[in-house]
Amino acid sequence: MPNLVPPVKNTSDALAYRERILQALQQADIEERYKQSFDPRMTLYLTDTTTVADIQQAAESGIVQAVKLYPAGATTNSADGVTNLSARNDVFEAMQKHGLPLLIHGEVTDSHVDIFDREKQFVDTTLNNLVTQFPELKIVVEHITTGDAADFVLSQGEHVAATITPQHLLFNRNHLLVGGVKPHFYCLPILKRQQHQQVLLDVATSGNPKFFLGTDSAPHATHTKENACGCAGCYSASIALPLYATAFDSVGKIDRLEGFASQFGAQFYGLPVNEECITLVNEPMQVPDSYAYMDQKTLTPLMAGETLPWSIKHD
């Protein structure tokens, strides 16, 4: 995710960010074989100043996998996002030429558009025009939340795909709002109606390779979520696979999880399928109430303190 402060705007930024990740990995208390096999794939933050030369350099770097579009003001740390998409046509042409995918946070930001309609509006206008103008540009509509987005992806060729988060498979806006606002369910795009949740479950568990895992996990410290103006984003990285397993099993499609989680995304990006294995078992696990975080802070995961029916087997 390139929406840091400051954002990752070019290949030099991406290389420096990747080095910080690898340094942190070496200090982590995990098995050496995982340290050796972990290969962080980087993305650039598309801005109003991104150039064709930036795209060419990224494509030739070997470590930049894609370019991320956050419309300005659409989500956390999106102030540097694109304000005029049509002014970026030369950049999209360069991405199409070099085979560098565009990853999209698909929402309009017009103040008059209802927050629950912003994804549909983006799909009907901006996304439809983008696909028409650049028919060979590989696109991933990330963390889709509506049946409208799912239907759009289904209607396009193999060059258009989508990711789905665990929270959008497991929850809808009632979980966020009924009985009081639950800050740890607040993310953008926001949770939608139950009917949209059902469509997402249908496509995620269908075995269609156009839909694959994308957690959009956001490690906001607890105090930044639980305040008068809380950050958008759910932290799920530590328990993502048990969460997805719970969602898939809820509709009797646990056999479809491996493709969604481990194969389809790699195939879309032209990456080798990981040879390491993780074993999920149908045994309960309790989600921690919190994790220790930076500078004596805490990090509260999605479903903190709850019990999930699936867990990861540890040797």
Side-chain angles (χ1 to χ4, degrees), residues 225-282:
K225 292 285 293 177
E226 298 175 1
N227 67 53
C229 187
C231 290
C234 302
Y235 180 67
S236 61
S238 59
I239 53 167
L241 290 178
L243 287 170
Y244 280 117
T246 300
F248 275 62
D249 196 30
S250 72
V251 291
K253 298 288 183 66
I254 194 67
D255 59 306
R256 301 284 177 83
L257 179 59
E258 184 174 21
F260 176 87
S262 306
Q263 298 168 353
F264 302 154
Q267 291 164 2
F268 183 87
Y269 285 110
L271 295 169
V273 174
N274 202 318
E275 295 181 3
E276 297 283 348
C277 292
I278 292 174
T279 302
L280 286 160
V281 290
N282 195 191

Side-chain angles (χ1 to χ4, degrees), residues 6 14 23 26 28 44-45 60 69 76 93 104 128 135 148 150 164 169 174 187 207-208 211 234 256 258 268 278 287:
Q23 287 176 0
Q26 291 308 310
L44 298 190
Y45 190 128
E60 294 172 351
L69 168 62
T76 305
E93 288 174 359
I104 299 176
N128 195 50
D148 306 279
I164 307 176
L169 294 177
N174 278 353
C187 59
N208 188 323
F211 300 93
C234 302
R256 301 284 177 83
E258 184 174 21
F268 183 87
I278 292 174
V287 180

Side-chain angles (χ1 to χ4, degrees), residues 46-48 69 71-72 81-90 92 126:
L46 184 67
T47 72
D48 287 339
L69 168 62
V82 173
T83 59
N84 183 359
L85 272 183
S86 61
R88 304 286 81 210
N89 283 352
D90 59 338
F92 295 137
T126 306

Side-chain angles (χ1 to χ4, degrees), residues 1-2 4 8 12-22 42:
M1 302 291 284
L4 307 185
V8 178
S12 295
D13 293 340
L15 285 167
Y17 183 25
R18 186 173 188 271
E19 185 58 32
R20 295 198 300 275
I21 292 171
L22 293 175
M42 312 310 294

Side-chain angles (χ1 to χ4, degrees), residues 60-77:
E60 294 172 351
S61 70
I63 61 102
V64 176
Q65 197 69 48
V67 177
K68 179 86 180 209
L69 168 62
Y70 304 90
T75 189
T76 305
N77 295 344

Side-chain angles (χ1 to χ4, degrees), residues 95-315:
M95 292 174 63
Q96 185 171 250
K97 173 184 174 181
H98 292 286
L100 202 60
L102 177 66
L103 316 183
I104 299 176
H105 178 106
E107 292 187 287
V108 299
T109 58
D110 306 274
S111 60
H112 67 278
V113 178
D114 189 287
I115 190 170
F116 292 102
D117 297 329
R118 290 183 175 189
E119 180 173 282
K120 175 177 169 35
Q121 184 86 350
F122 186 91
V123 169
D124 291 344
T125 56
T126 306
L127 188 55
N128 195 50
N129 291 338
L130 194 62
V131 170
T132 301
Q133 280 187 273
F134 305 98
E136 296 178 15
L137 178 62
K138 295 188 76 171
I139 292 174
V140 179
V141 192
E142 295 202 313
H143 39 68
I144 63 170
T145 66
T146 62
D148 306 279
D151 289 342
F152 178 85
V153 172
L154 287 168
S155 72
Q156 301 302 312
E158 294 181 355
H159 64 295
V160 178
T163 61
I164 307 176
T165 74
Q167 64 263 27
H168 290 104
L169 294 177
L170 289 167
F171 308 114
N172 56 64
R173 66 187 191 181
N174 278 353
H175 296 93
L176 170 66
L177 297 172
V178 171
V181 177
K182 319 297 192 307
H184 297 288
F185 285 114
Y186 174 52
C187 59
L188 291 173
I190 200 165
L191 295 172
K192 303 299 195 299
R193 291 179 180 272
Q194 184 178 13
Q195 67 198 55
H196 292 293
Q197 178 194 358
Q198 185 58 56
V199 173
L200 297 182
L201 267 172
D202 290 343
V203 296
T205 62
S206 67
N208 188 323
K210 293 168 72 70
F211 300 93
F212 42 87
L213 180 152
T215 65
D216 196 34
S217 184
H220 297 301
T222 302
H223 75 279
T224 66
K225 292 285 293 177
E226 298 175 1
N227 67 53
C229 187
C231 290
C234 302
Y235 180 67
S236 61
S238 59
I239 53 167
L241 290 178
L243 287 170
Y244 280 117
T246 300
F248 275 62
D249 196 30
S250 72
V251 291
K253 298 288 183 66
I254 194 67
D255 59 306
R256 301 284 177 83
L257 179 59
E258 184 174 21
F260 176 87
S262 306
Q263 298 168 353
F264 302 154
Q267 291 164 2
F268 183 87
Y269 285 110
L271 295 169
V273 174
N274 202 318
E275 295 181 3
E276 297 283 348
C277 292
I278 292 174
T279 302
L280 286 160
V281 290
N282 195 191
E283 297 177 1
M285 68 162 287
Q286 184 171 11
V287 180
D289 290 326
S290 64
Y291 297 97
Y293 200 42
M294 299 182 295
D295 301 325
Q296 299 182 331
K297 297 180 177 68
T298 61
L299 181 63
T300 301
L302 189 65
M303 295 192 73
E306 300 292 325
T307 298
L308 297 175
W310 286 85
S311 55
I312 295 174
K313 179 181 178 181
H314 296 283
D315 295 331

